[in-house]
Amino acid sequence: MTTGPSSPDDGAALREAIEERNRLWEELQRKNAVEADLEYWRQRASDIERSRWWRAGFPLRYVKRFVKDPAGMLEGRADAIRRRRRGA
Amino acid sequence: VSVVTVAIPVLNGARYLDEVLTAVRAQRVDREVEILIVDSGSTDGSLEIARRHWAIVHEIPASQFSHGGTRNRMMELARGEHVAFLTQDATPAHDGWLAALLEGFAQADDVGAVFGPHEARPDASHMIKSEMERHFASWGNGGTEIDVQRLDSSPEGIEAYREFPGQLTFLSDVNCAVARSAWEQVPYREVPYAEDQLLGRELVEAGFAKVFHPEARVVHSHDYPPLAFFRRYFDEFRSLREVLGFRQPWGPRQTMRDVRGLVGADRRWLRAQGLTGMELVGPLLVSGRHHVGRMAGSIIGTRANRLPTALRRALSLEGRASFTPYEIPGGLLERDEANVDRNWPWEFVRKAYPRRPIAVEPHGGHAGGPLTIAWVVPPWSVGSGGHTTIFRLVRQMEQRGHRCSIHLFDTGNKERRSGGELRREIREHFVPIEATVFRDLDRFTGADVAIATEWRTAFPVRDLPHCREKVYLVQDDEPQFYATSSLSIWAEESYHMGYRCIAYTPWMADILRTRWNLEASYFECGTDTDVYEFAGEEGREPGLVVVYARGETERRAVELALAGLATAFERRPQIQVVAFGSSLGVTAPFPLRDVGVRPPTELAELYRRASVGLVFSLTTHSLVAQEMMASGLPVVELEGDNVASALGESGDLVELAERTPDSIAGAVERLLDDREGAAAMTRRARRFVEERTWERAGDQVEAALLDYLARPR
């Protein structure tokens, strides 16, 4: 059985409601797609950080960071120790 | 009056036995308590203590003692339906200990064993006290609540169990109770050590529940000098390897981290006892030494199989030289995982059974207004004709005001790109769609219509929630892709699901209606006449034949096309053949130039230069043929209902060949010889193609969707 609007006004209102519903649906799809992509890239980054090659390169990156900004590195380390102490 | 038995194996246990039996006799329970002692040769007065407490005493020679065997004997001797086991140095912490164990059995009908926590004796070291607290806090919300444990038999549950069995299997007969009914099915095993762990494992794997009761506490601990601790841990962990297959992970960083973690836990425990500052130094040094010994004992113990027998005996506190892995036949921990594929690509089919109806939301048949449409597609490669058609239809729907989403269904989990990257590829290499693209179906939220576009996608689409209608876009008679096989059965299964179909060509719709009894309308593919512009005879190279040679898809009958061209070449050695469409390469028994997969603009240019085009498809009508027709290239196709139905009553639009090499060669020769006739045919073909626009295809698909929605199931 096909049901439909009983007057032209009803028809316009229905169409408007459907348009709005569809717009919200599309917005939801976009939001979900962004969230899915975010999750995907987070997973990719985590996979890279857990890879053997990334871990093998840790000393090199550490030295590079230290050479570039020794004061910042030491400050960051001190912060980390302070945070850990507070946490403990 | 029902009976509960408290069973204690004894050998020279006088130090604590009186205290233990006094605490047992003080228990307040609503049934008779039977105390059962099996002594294996005590000489320190243990027997007299036991008799003083009215215990039933059985004496056995020391040679007959084994942890598992003796406890089985005690189960046989006991009168109780539930038998609580203690060791000779484990004292019930209060008079409700036995009642708590019995309360554990009341938690469910299938409880096979109940266990409770151990409290360290007051003179135990801080490491032992801290460790025991941590250990028993693993159950019952930090060790405070009754915890009923069962094996989750789902694949995920089994995987979690295999990952960390100890959480489920732990059972210590220092302080536990066993139901006779469970023991009759799963008795203790005759193993040298860790018989309780093995019993716990077997009970859980046999489907029994195991209960932790925080009030079933006993006071029990061991303290040893450092070296003896190391040897004790060697024994314990060797047994865990034998019984559970556990291996202590190790490595310089890992082990350092583990020791640091254990010392850190001791530090927190000591702080909780009020120690601060320098007071912590001494105890933590002792902790460090203890945990280094513990880690060494556990690492070496779980690898005891690699040690010589004499060394094993020397390292063992109990002087045991053996290493005997205990395998439970059919046990969940012994299964050989070498060939297990956790991403087995056909799980989606298996889970689709038993057959069930298509999931759709009931609705009143309203089909007005723009729709929301979810397209579920299989993975693609650039240039895929089937996907080009799907994405063109998506675009057509969007241009009519409908909102679309595209969901990849990748059974092999091979697609490594994000939804955003996939969308970019569709827009750059196929059609500039507006739809959002998802790399899976995880975030599917519903739509007016969900469309399956290939037989694999029909399986998940059937069960997708919150859709008013489910439609199957059938471009090919896909079961015909496969020899008789699982895949042909499953492709046919997609026709048993009760989809409403939109088929490419009236021929395919007819098959769906007559052979599979499905509701089917059809659409006819359009052609990009802007890209594939018409060219007449001028500029065509005489004798240049192009052939669609995508051998990757068997339905393209590439070998047959090449056989026909080989015969043609034998008859006319001056013809030149250009093959395209394959990324795997093409070989033939005659000179041939393979240009591989080319973009549409280059193909259009090739079609305008060539004199004859060959393109076969055995399961539908080829879009490539229509593109050749649009370019004014005379086409040879194989005779068949699929071609006849697609080309309709429009007269001679292509040169048809029978399915033999000489017939194909003959068709090529006719077109090469009769250029006037060929040119007339191409003009008719162009007119035919011009009528079949993508707008028309879009209209056909939209009309079908609205029709299906107007007639709810």
Side-chain angles (χ1 to χ4, degrees), chain B residues 428-647:
Chain B
E428 282 175 13
H429 295 282
F430 291 92
V431 184
I433 45 120
E434 292 296 325
T436 41
V437 179
F438 295 84
R439 64 192 306 272
D440 50 38
L441 286 161
D442 288 354
R443 284 165 199 263
F444 185 84
T445 53
D448 284 323
V449 188
I451 302 184
T453 58
E454 190 245 11
W455 71 265
R456 290 171 182 82
T457 66
F459 284 81
V461 169
R462 181 191 64 186
D463 299 331
L464 287 178
H466 313 306
C467 297
R468 286 204 290 152
E469 191 52 87
K470 302 282 178 66
V471 171
Y472 191 1
L473 186 82
V474 183
Q475 295 194 59
D476 262 304
D477 191 14
E478 291 177 327
Q480 285 197 49
F481 289 5
Y482 309 104
T484 304
S485 61
S486 309
L487 299 192
S488 69
I489 293 167
W490 292 338
E492 279 189 11
E493 179 64 23
S494 70
Y495 293 157
H496 290 297
M497 292 178 178
Y499 274 102
R500 289 168 143 180
C501 301
I502 304 176
Y504 169 46
T505 75
W507 169 75
M508 190 66 238
D510 198 43
I511 288 178
L512 293 170
R513 279 189 218 109
T514 55
R515 200 183 301 162
W516 302 104
N517 204 23
L518 289 167
E519 197 174 341
S521 61
Y522 67 87
F523 73 102
E524 289 152 308
C525 269
T527 309
D528 292 327
T529 46
D530 296 344
V531 176
Y532 297 99
E533 287 175 15
F534 185 78
E537 273 300 283
E538 202 176 317
R540 294 199 180 273
E541 294 176 27
L544 179 62
V545 179
V546 293
V547 56
Y548 184 58
R550 187 175 170 77
E552 292 93 314
T553 43
E554 292 175 352
R555 60 187 179 278
R556 292 294 183 171
V558 172
E559 297 82 0
L560 180 56
L562 293 176
L565 287 174
T567 302
F569 185 79
E570 202 170 62
R571 295 178 190 168
R572 298 182 182 214
Q574 69 276 23
I575 66 169
Q576 300 167 57
V577 176
V578 173
F580 70 97
S582 173
S583 47
L584 301 179
V586 184
T587 56
F590 57 87
L592 159 150
R593 192 157 69 89
D594 176 22
V595 296
V597 177
R598 311 307 306 171
T601 47
E602 286 184 33
L603 289 177
E605 202 273 326
L606 182 64
Y607 299 164
R608 286 193 290 273
R609 278 198 298 119
S611 292
V612 174
L614 254 81
V615 51
F616 297 166
S617 174
L618 302 176
T619 54
T620 185
H621 186 246
S622 172
L623 193 58
V624 178
Q626 280 190 206
E627 290 162 354
M628 288 180 174
M629 290 157 73
S631 307
L633 177 64
V635 178
V636 175
E637 288 199 72
L638 286 182
E639 279 182 356
D641 289 343
N642 53 331
V643 175
S645 167
L647 300 182

Side-chain angles (χ1 to χ4, degrees), chain B residues 4-27:
Chain B
V4 57
T5 303
V6 177
I8 310 171
V10 169
L11 174 63
N12 293 331
R15 184 176 172 195
Y16 292 113
L17 193 58
D18 186 49
E19 174 190 304
V20 171
L21 293 178
T22 303
V24 169
R25 290 187 61 201
Q27 293 302 307

Side-chain angles (χ1 to χ4, degrees), chain B residues 377-395 398 406 408 415 417 421-434 437 475 528 531-532 550 597-601 623 627 694:
Chain B
V377 302
W380 62 80
S381 49
V382 171
S384 157
H387 284 87
T388 306
T389 301
I390 295 166
F391 298 142
R392 284 203 174 283
L393 293 175
V394 171
R395 187 73 196 121
E398 289 174 346
I406 296 172
L408 181 72
E415 181 53 70
R417 289 172 294 176
E421 289 173 299
L422 294 169
R423 182 170 186 268
R424 207 169 306 132
E425 181 168 270
I426 296 172
R427 288 172 58 86
E428 282 175 13
H429 295 282
F430 291 92
V431 184
I433 45 120
E434 292 296 325
V437 179
Q475 295 194 59
D528 292 327
V531 176
Y532 297 99
R550 187 175 170 77
V597 177
R598 311 307 306 171
T601 47
L623 193 58
E627 290 162 354
W694 282 112

Side-chain angles (χ1 to χ4, degrees), chain B residues 44-57:
Chain B
D44 65 348
S46 295
L47 286 173
E48 289 70 36
I49 296 171
R51 289 194 176 108
R52 213 168 53 233
H53 286 279
W54 302 100
I56 299 165
V57 177

